[in-house]
Amino acid sequence: MIDLHLHLDGSMRPSTVRELLYGQGIADWKDEAEARAALCAPDDCGSLNEYLKCFDYPCRVLQEYDNITRAVRELGEDIAGQDITYAEIRFAPLLSTEGGLSQNDAVEAAIEGAKQAERECGNLRLGLILCCMRGFSHEVNLETVEAARKYLGGYVCALDLAGAEALYATELYEDEFRLARRYGIPFTIHAGEAAGPESIWKALEFGASRIGHGIRCIDDGALIDYLERYEIPLEVCPTSNMQTKASGNAGEYPIKELLQSGVRITLNTDNMTVSNTDIYNERNLVKTRFNITDEEIKLMEAYSAEAAFLKQ
């Protein structure tokens, strides 16, 4: 199995976050269950902005080289246990610079964690996607682009733009992706999750080869046709999409309609801890609630293999 849209900070083991926070004197959760409750999105989560608050604690511990390495290694171990053989783990190195690390330090720590996971898990290959962040300065985001250029090839495989899409429009980040194009760095962009089709159109104008989430394309028939014609994959994450209210209530989730329209839907977890999910849960969800067939599961897996930034 394949997971193309998997955030490091949203998928850390609650036990690890608890241990590291306790060591810093920040949180004193009595057990792993209490830690998990603090790190998971609430049942009544109302928006992407509320969902993003769950990342505060993991980001506090991803400020040390060894912690980043450990988090990536453990995530690799966890997904290998789900029969995932290829995954692209994404994270924002600019969010790991509060304790003195440079963005390059953070990337090197993540690369080391990916190497360790692959050695320990055998039949596992990992790519790393570096996220520019909405709401941050062009200066620090351009540092992320430079880091991607420096480390592109071995484990770093692409760039992304993540964060509060409704507050910071995709169009504000043209400089970052103009530079990425100049360097020949492939990229995906979170778009069409908390904003509408215009966000997806802008990401495509920038040159995104994949779209993170993209579920709001359902509101624009011309966009659906474009995605189908030019074979642009969507990195769909059903559980988190419903938690962030990306497409209304669960009964309106358009995964079946998009697949039948020829859009290249890939199925992913997004944030295993924050959304309390894994790849098995995502498959079961779309089969039982949205009438996705086993053949359509195979089709989405084939789309994922074709869309991978590191070709297998």
Side-chain angles (χ1 to χ4, degrees):
M1 289 192 283
I2 296 171
D3 195 336
L4 299 179
H5 194 119
L6 177 63
H7 288 269
L8 176 64
D9 48 2
S11 302
M12 288 184 68
R13 294 175 183 173
S15 58
T16 296
V17 179
R18 174 175 176 254
E19 174 193 329
L20 296 175
L21 285 175
Y22 183 81
Q24 297 177 13
I26 295 174
D28 188 18
W29 298 318
K30 64 182 181 182
D31 54 27
E32 183 176 343
E34 190 170 307
R36 183 173 293 278
L39 297 171
C40 289
D43 292 338
D44 60 350
C45 183
S47 68
L48 175 61
N49 291 340
E50 182 178 357
Y51 184 86
L52 292 176
K53 293 178 182 178
C54 299
F55 295 81
D56 290 347
Y57 284 121
C59 283
R60 291 190 191 187
V61 303
L62 292 174
Q63 302 301 324
E64 297 182 20
Y65 187 102
D66 289 346
N67 292 356
I68 297 170
T69 297
R70 175 179 175 180
V72 173
R73 184 190 73 247
E74 290 182 345
L75 181 52
E77 293 168 353
D78 292 343
I79 62 176
Q82 300 169 32
D83 297 322
I84 288 174
T85 56
Y86 177 81
E88 294 171 359
I89 298 173
R90 60 188 73 193
F91 77 108
L94 67 85
L95 296 180
S96 293
T97 58
E98 295 177 6
L101 293 181
S102 67
Q103 291 201 43
N104 285 350
D105 292 335
V107 175
E108 290 176 6
I111 291 172
E112 178 58 29
K115 290 179 178 178
Q116 291 180 11
E118 288 186 347
R119 284 198 299 266
E120 294 175 12
C121 298
N123 189 30
L124 175 68
R125 191 178 187 199
L126 296 177
L128 297 172
I129 298 177
L130 307 188
C131 296
C132 298
M133 292 300 296
R134 300 174 191 269
F136 285 76
S137 71
H138 290 298
E139 181 181 7
V140 295
N141 277 325
L142 290 172
E143 285 182 26
T144 304
V145 178
E146 294 291 347
R149 182 193 190 191
K150 179 175 181 178
Y151 296 102
L152 186 68
Y155 284 87
V156 174
C157 59
L159 279 165
D160 184 18
L161 175 65
E165 183 188 12
L167 299 179
Y168 303 98
T170 301
E171 65 185 15
L172 299 174
Y173 301 92
E174 183 174 1
D175 290 349
E176 286 83 342
F177 293 102
R178 181 188 299 116
L179 184 60
R181 290 197 307 274
R182 193 169 86 196
Y183 288 160
I185 304 169
F187 55 90
T188 178
I189 292 180
H190 281 68
E193 180 186 17
E198 72 284 351
S199 183
I200 304 172
W201 281 118
K202 185 57 67 174
L204 295 171
E205 179 184 319
F206 287 172
S209 55
R210 294 181 350 211
I211 299 294
H213 303 297
I215 207 71
R216 294 284 179 89
C217 71
I218 196 65
D219 298 327
D220 186 335
L223 179 54
I224 293 174
D225 290 344
Y226 186 96
L227 295 170
E228 186 273 331
R229 184 180 310 117
Y230 292 99
E231 300 183 345
I232 306 295
L234 300 187
E235 305 158 359
V236 165
C237 310
T239 297
S240 75
N241 289 163
M242 287 182 282
Q243 289 172 320
T244 62
K245 307 300 185 286
S247 67
N249 64 49
E252 298 171 347
Y253 195 69
I255 186 171
K256 185 85 171 183
E257 181 178 348
L258 291 173
L259 269 175
Q260 292 178 337
S261 296
V263 177
R264 292 182 169 235
I265 300 295
T266 70
L267 188 65
N268 311 281
T269 57
D270 200 7
N271 300 287
M272 295 198 306
T273 301
V274 175
S275 289
N276 193 26
T277 193
D278 60 26
I279 198 68
Y280 295 123
N281 182 69
E282 296 303 308
R283 285 189 170 196
N284 184 64
L285 173 67
V286 298
K287 289 171 68 174
T288 57
R289 295 180 68 173
F290 307 119
N291 299 313
I292 296 297
T293 66
D294 288 335
E295 287 304 310
E296 288 169 327
I297 292 289
K298 292 178 182 178
L299 178 61
M300 289 189 287
E301 187 76 358
Y303 287 153
S304 292
E306 293 171 7
F309 285 123
L310 292 179
K311 297 307 177 187
Q312 303 171 74

